[in-house]
Amino acid sequence: MIVMKTDATQEQIDQVIKEVKKYRLRVDVSKGRYKTVIGLIGDERKIPFAHFAALPGVKEAFGIEIRYKLISREYSKFSGETMERRIVKVGNIEIGGDEPIIIAGPCAVESKEQLFRIAEEVKKAGAHILRGGIFKPRSSVYSFQGLGGEGWEEAVGASQWLQKAGKMFDMPVVTEIRGEAQVDLVAEYADILQIGARNMYNQDLLTKVAKKKKPVLFKRHFGASIEEFLSFAEYIAAEGNKDIILCERGIIPIGKGKEYTRYTLDLAAVPAIQKETYLPIIVDPSHAMGRRDLIFNMSCAAIAAGASGLMVEVHYNPAEALVDGQQMITPDELKDVIDVCRRINKMTMPGRNKS
Amino acid sequence: MIVMKTDATQEQIDQVIKEVKKYRLRVDVSKGRYKTVIGLIGDERKIPFAHFAALPGVKEAFGIEIRYKLISREYSKFSGETMERRIVKVGNIEIGGDEPIIIAGPCAVESKEQLFRIAEEVKKAGAHILRGGIFKPRSSVYSFQGLGGEGWEEAVGASQWLQKAGKMFDMPVVTEIRGEAQVDLVAEYADILQIGARNMYNQDLLTKVAKKKKPVLFKRHFGASIEEFLSFAEYIAAEGNKDIILCERGIIPIGKGKEYTRYTLDLAAVPAIQKETYLPIIVDPSHAMGRRDLIFNMSCAAIAAGASGLMVEVHYNPAEALVDGQQMITPDELKDVIDVCRRINKMTMPGRNKS
Amino acid sequence: MIVMKTDATQEQIDQVIKEVKKYRLRVDVSKGRYKTVIGLIGDERKIPFAHFAALPGVKEAFGIEIRYKLISREYSKFSGETMERRIVKVGNIEIGGDEPIIIAGPCAVESKEQLFRIAEEVKKAGAHILRGGIFKPRSSVYSFQGLGGEGWEEAVGASQWLQKAGKMFDMPVVTEIRGEAQVDLVAEYADILQIGARNMYNQDLLTKVAKKKKPVLFKRHFGASIEEFLSFAEYIAAEGNKDIILCERGIIPIGKGKEYTRYTLDLAAVPAIQKETYLPIIVDPSHAMGRRDLIFNMSCAAIAAGASGLMVEVHYNPAEALVDGQQMITPDELKDVIDVCRRINKMTMPGRNKS
Amino acid sequence: MIVMKTDATQEQIDQVIKEVKKYRLRVDVSKGRYKTVIGLIGDERKIPFAHFAALPGVKEAFGIEIRYKLISREYSKFSGETMERRIVKVGNIEIGGDEPIIIAGPCAVESKEQLFRIAEEVKKAGAHILRGGIFKPRSSVYSFQGLGGEGWEEAVGASQWLQKAGKMFDMPVVTEIRGEAQVDLVAEYADILQIGARNMYNQDLLTKVAKKKKPVLFKRHFGASIEEFLSFAEYIAAEGNKDIILCERGIIPIGKGKEYTRYTLDLAAVPAIQKETYLPIIVDPSHAMGRRDLIFNMSCAAIAAGASGLMVEVHYNPAEALVDGQQMITPDELKDVIDVCRRINKMTMPGRNKS
């Protein structure tokens, strides 16, 4: 990291950047009110920091060990500002602000009718953002892979429905990009680009998605530590895209015997991550639980833990859903979740203690 | 399980019990309003159920696969009653009732002064039950093992302080029994007998503690599944002691790299367990987190998840504690936790949806 | 699955395939000595098996629950053959045959000199296949990402070196494909296409790589169960490519405290997987251990467990390696590993008991 | 740790020990050829090392961070000796020596006939030590708990059979102590006292068993890290009993879906632990696998990994065993295991490289 002097000129800054690029590293330039900080992206071991410290306009130059410096609270202090929190704006929705944001919709888009009906009902229940899977990652090649698995035409069609449903019911839309070949398509129609848990370690996909400069909903892999999760979020930030919404969705359960929940929801990751980064983090209780009768309580718990929102799967008739029917709740149940979560949020959201 | 006819006589019931004992099994007799149910404890494979079904007064006789039938909701239905929840009473405190119960105190009893001062302060903050470790289970023989590790005299002394502190500030007291040799001593002075996470699988200790007929605070091992946790709670119930308070305290974290919390708090275990058993379950955020700055949020989340209470480590000056100082909160912070948790509980406690 | 009658005509077979495709499923046609079996790839729930059973030439038609039927031993029986083992041939090397196959080379290709020198030395030590990473998956954007991360030109250059080194020292070569954009390049120069552990769940990449019809070295994700591992290998087989070499490389360690090995090498997965599938499985002790002093013993143990080979990182001077130097062994140590492993293999390889 | 001068007198040594005890710590006196080292057992933070360094005859006095110093290779160097390995002698059997030691027998002692017949057959197959469970730790109160669960008389009877079978077939015997109340009984009849995996964290039991001064077979808990395992072995050593045989028996499997082995056998723990301690370590493949068809390969792999022996469950007719029949092998299969393991051991045992 290279901290420029308060009175460093743009020319001096440009000179430093030029020098850095000679070493084949990229830069993240962060202009604070008081000083400009140049973050180095790439293998810092190549860099002769003493040499950089001696360049005109440079105040300090030093290596940083942390693997997620661009998104860390710590790093934001160097520019003379403390980024308490980053609010990701999508349309008129603010993720990471004072209200818990509810992303809701079907697990998979199955038909235009299904999607529009659910969109209407979740909107009425109070949801802010519409979700719907087109390219479904599945553990078995023998399972329904979403309409995107039926053919390209179907994928385009489903994407258009999603966009239209969002417009009709005034909600931004989010859907998952499962592979690199889907990036352009999804980025054309969706407002938020989701990277699923199974792709958390897929750095090539992360980089390609990040470049679209749209907000990214980034889910934690079920085998990943918090440190790994943030280190891979850094791959997105390294492309200059810091509109990242983190999402905890459960980790591998341990212990012998019957499983009562599909994954172990690691709610302590929520406040723990908030101490590390200014990015907002939401929780997906649906995939974590895999059963609808725990969604109410775990949604409330997520908000109480400090989450900035929820991503919940909803269906007017869960029994007829092609994918994951057993974990969907109804629009009425969603309304109940939203009502209680709003009240809890007022008592527990980060910053509450300061007021 | 043997379900007696509604009009079965006591003589017939006694006859069945006598027969069961011939097979070296024990019984759990549960008299419901409508019928009497005789649960069999031990290896059911030995039992000729057809023979038992033919005995006078017997309505049905059959084997049950579930490993925790005595404490299961399912089993309680056979007696014609549905045990919605079991309220464990200690003094005038009801664990599992409508109010969240707060167990608070120092990790380890270090001196009379320390204990009494903390007891007074947690009482003021709103705690219901006083905790304080005398026999500390430790991962290293080189760590402070509690006053109980200093000698028997010290153990007796610390136990007496605990009892007195409880009486002086009108709180029942709970402390851990780490080994079989400590059962008599602790049972003499404590109101609730704690079995720690490391001893969850210690069936001999469970049996011995259960026989004291005092409420047992039973913590989940950090490597145990929910099924194992309940199966070992059954060892306590099998001694005729169903005053069991379950406690979730975190499981082994998975994933590579730095640990941000000491354990992974499995909050979904709370509502999942409540679907299985009528026993109350509380949460210990202190050991799970291992750091005080997450205690507020995770306490709120625990209650939102449906927990019947919390066990929290408190110290007037965490920095000077001999054990686990980094995870203790102050009495003032405890007060804040209790206030918010009470309000959340009203919105989320089990049964709320029915009203 | 649709089993044709022994005397079914090609016309009848084609008719069945045509019918299947109407349901948007794909087929895997397996012609055994005695009968032809048509495996269905895709969501079988759509298929009216009764209808298919009634078609001319069809003997049986039924759904199969197993998620990895194309690669299962069980499935191979339906065609009247038992596929004891599949030998994957690359040049004159047979993976899955009677000799343990050793894949060796540097973790990352760093320069032409480094690669050629190591290639020469591992060949002398007895290695069969040359490895060398060009696109390195890394947990941090701040780590060296392989020459492939320096630019496309460097990636092409390194690929060409690899191909040349393989030819010069008469060894087929293997390197990892980290993202979809690299498939064409790597498939042009490498003999075996590797899918790394972090990409095990990346079904789009699997499908794209499989289509190249070259042998695929498929590594288990560190958070994946055996069932998941095989279910994702099925994605490769579903493209008609059954030249799959499975590779165990360690799973997430559990338990608190210091880590003594980087991952937990799950050697029992080797014989357990061999009971399920006819595909060969090898072991990578280097990444699993993360330290060179355990490589000898764990290599021997892998072969004793029944592995068909090893993938080992080797460097003439481990201390100067840019990536993972601490886990590389020297060519001399490799020679020792190979000698002992060959002798153990004779005593323990699958099939030994039958002779 | 306090290192005495080479010419320190016994009087000076005694004086130091006396001083240490004032601080309520215990000592482990280790007299090497060249110097005497006094290890401190207990909370070292109390100790004023500067004061001790100034006592007559003291060369050095300092605290040690490692949690398992008494059993560490590192510690043994201070006395001027390097304890390459500790050979635990039981009768004329040497565990930790040049030959792999095979402990075999039934999971549970079920009858005198069953025990004697199996004892005879395992002896013929080449086993060195006889095992047989009397007090069985079980996950369910509804499972057979061993003859020890039938009553005290049965427990005594089974213990006597075990002792007699050992004498008749000239094998030392080992059986598990499950609770503190069983220590005296088992120590009277068994040659090696086993502490099971579920009791690894039971420090009170460890201490009580250690005091019997008989060799202890100490199994790793399925949720324990290597560091925890060794830290609890230290509780045994702290009682002056270093005749500890460590045993790896599998850790909790991770990953979703069907389980193919009951536990994950962590074979790399074998050489990793051997780098840390001079104590011998053996492997129990039976409990780890839970299925007999993997026992041959995993036994071979364990020895190849460097294990000093195996503990294997054997039954002449596995189908009729009351406990764990599915994981037992026959005496004939045992013979095959022993033959191959002996040959592998010659190639892979620690120290081989030096010769």
Side-chain angles (χ1 to χ4, degrees), chain C residues 33-97:
Chain C
R33 221 168 321 166
Y34 308 109
K35 25 188 177 176
T36 293
V37 173
I38 300 170
L40 308 183
I41 301 164
D43 191 355
E44 288 191 349
R45 286 172 304 173
K46 304 172 182 172
I47 298 292
F49 285 106
H51 163 68
F52 276 91
L55 290 183
V58 171
K59 196 180 161 215
E60 285 177 282
F62 50 92
I64 287 187
E65 283 302 304
I66 192 171
R67 293 174 170 185
Y68 46 88
K69 56 189 182 189
L70 301 183
I71 61 170
S72 81
R73 292 196 177 282
E74 207 56 29
Y75 175 86
S76 68
K77 286 178 189 163
F78 285 99
S79 58
E81 328 248 3
T82 303
M83 198 186 282
E84 284 287 347
R85 56 183 185 178
R86 182 181 185 90
I87 293 176
V88 177
K89 287 180 191 162
V90 198
N92 54 355
I93 302 298
E94 296 194 340
I95 301 151

Side-chain angles (χ1 to χ4, degrees), chain D residues 134-135 152 155 159 162 173-179 181-194 212 214:
Chain D
I134 294 165
F135 298 99
W152 193 249
S159 303
L162 191 63
V173 300
V174 58
T175 196
E176 176 167 354
I177 297 176
R178 201 189 55 207
Q182 302 145 17
V183 177
D184 289 342
L185 173 66
V186 173
E188 187 179 342
Y189 295 104
D191 303 295
I192 303 175
L193 312 181
Q194 179 180 329
K212 289 293 175 183
K214 287 198 158 186

Side-chain angles (χ1 to χ4, degrees), chain C residues 133-145:
Chain C
I134 294 165
F135 298 98
K136 298 298 301 174
R138 299 304 299 273
S139 295
S140 170
V141 70
Y142 301 104
S143 301
F144 174 60
Q145 313 272 327

